Amino acid sequence: MRTRTTLPATLLAFTVLVLGCDDGGTKKDDTKKDAPKAAAPTSAAPLTARAAAAELADAIGVKTLGNPTNNTGSCSNQSAGAGRKTDVRDCSQLITTNTVSIYEFPTAEVADQWTKRRKFDRTWRQVDRFALSWSARDQALTSKERRFELETALRKLIKS
């Protein structure tokens, strides 16, 4: 029985001794070795409408754009009812705030189709695969200057 307990203890002591003798990465000339470099991030996650709402608020210097609500269900064919199925032309995400509605689409082409169909009310602006809209009652109070500021900020977010 004594052999069984001493063998693991001996192995443990040997492991501690070996690991404890590490020279900390010192080369023979007493200089430190370069630490291994972390792998560069492959790519950031794509910007979503929800993330854009938070980032836009920060970009214009406010905590929130006002009551951000996920209304994605209201911008799809499926929400139109009558057994309609989702479609590639549906929005991917819709975040509605008191300041602006942010529509996210799968592609810039789909965003372009949506904004062209709604240009008559002059409250829609396309920014890449996103559309900004000021169609809701509270959003109508958003000034032209603020609208331009939000559009410009979203363009910068997409480029970064």
Side-chain angles (χ1 to χ4, degrees):
M1 280 236 207
R2 192 170 187 97
T3 308
R4 289 184 189 168
T5 57
T6 55
L7 183 58
T10 305
L11 287 174
L12 179 63
F14 179 75
T15 304
V16 170
L17 181 64
V18 169
L19 292 176
C21 290
D22 181 22
D23 66 356
T26 306
K27 295 180 186 176
K28 290 184 185 200
D29 63 356
D30 291 332
T31 60
K32 287 280 195 183
K33 294 179 187 175
D34 293 333
K37 295 183 179 171
T42 52
S43 65
L47 185 65
T48 64
R50 179 172 300 285
E55 295 283 341
L56 289 174
D58 189 49
I60 64 172
V62 297
K63 286 185 178 184
T64 178
L65 296 176
N67 194 26
T69 306
N70 186 346
N71 288 318
T72 304
S74 67
C75 67
S76 69
N77 263 338
Q78 192 173 21
S79 69
R84 296 178 93 178
K85 302 206 185 269
T86 57
D87 188 273
V88 294
R89 295 169 299 213
D90 289 348
C91 77
S92 304
Q93 192 174 66
L94 166 59
I95 301 299
T96 305
T97 72
N98 294 342
T99 307
V100 63
S101 290
I102 305 166
Y103 290 77
E104 175 190 352
F105 297 98
T107 66
E109 292 77 23
V110 175
D112 183 53
Q113 290 172 2
W114 271 68
T115 54
K116 280 183 178 174
R117 282 188 261 149
R118 289 156 179 84
K119 287 269 187 192
F120 64 90
D121 68 5
R122 298 178 179 241
T123 64
W124 285 70
R125 295 186 188 164
Q126 180 193 354
V127 180
D128 194 64
R129 61 186 185 84
F130 293 88
L132 301 176
S133 171
W134 293 272
S135 302
R137 185 179 59 193
D138 290 344
Q139 297 168 348
L141 301 174
T142 304
S143 70
K144 289 180 182 179
E145 293 81 14
R146 180 64 86 189
R147 292 176 187 200
F148 178 76
E149 189 178 11
L150 289 165
E151 182 181 3
T152 302
L154 183 56
R155 287 188 195 287
K156 288 179 183 176
L157 281 174
I158 291 169
K159 287 182 181 179
S160 61

